[in-house]
Amino acid sequence: MDRIKIGKRLRDLRGAKYTQEQLAKEMGTSVSAVGMYERGERMPSDDIKVKYSQLFGVSVQSLFFD
């Protein structure tokens, strides 16, 4: 699992659809956590991984493990 690549995927998915603030609220986490995920400084918990996959309509496998 390459944190930097995953962070880029998460940033690309968020795109212009959400601000980090909006996404954090939607996910039930902090803005700083979203930023850390996107910079590859931290990996989301399993619960947050599931929320990302549901929100963006992609599998957890393809988002975090492929």
Side-chain angles (χ1 to χ4, degrees):
M1 231 185 312
D2 182 340
R3 289 181 181 190
I4 302 300
K5 286 182 182 177
I6 291 170
K8 181 174 178 354
R9 285 183 197 161
L10 297 177
R11 260 191 326 277
D12 291 346
L13 274 177
R14 179 173 61 82
K17 186 174 181 179
Y18 293 97
T19 64
Q20 283 187 340
E21 292 81 8
Q22 292 168 325
L23 184 60
K25 186 175 181 179
E26 192 74 33
M27 304 294 256
T29 192
S30 67
V31 175
S32 64
V34 170
M36 286 187 276
Y37 302 151
E38 291 183 359
R39 290 188 301 274
E41 296 173 2
R42 182 173 162 189
M43 287 300 294
S45 67
D46 290 345
D47 290 344
I48 297 295
K49 288 176 184 173
V50 170
K51 287 180 182 181
Y52 265 108
S53 71
Q54 291 173 340
L55 184 64
F56 293 108
V58 296
S59 72
V60 171
Q61 176 71 32
S62 67
L63 188 54
F64 293 98
F65 301 105
D66 287 343

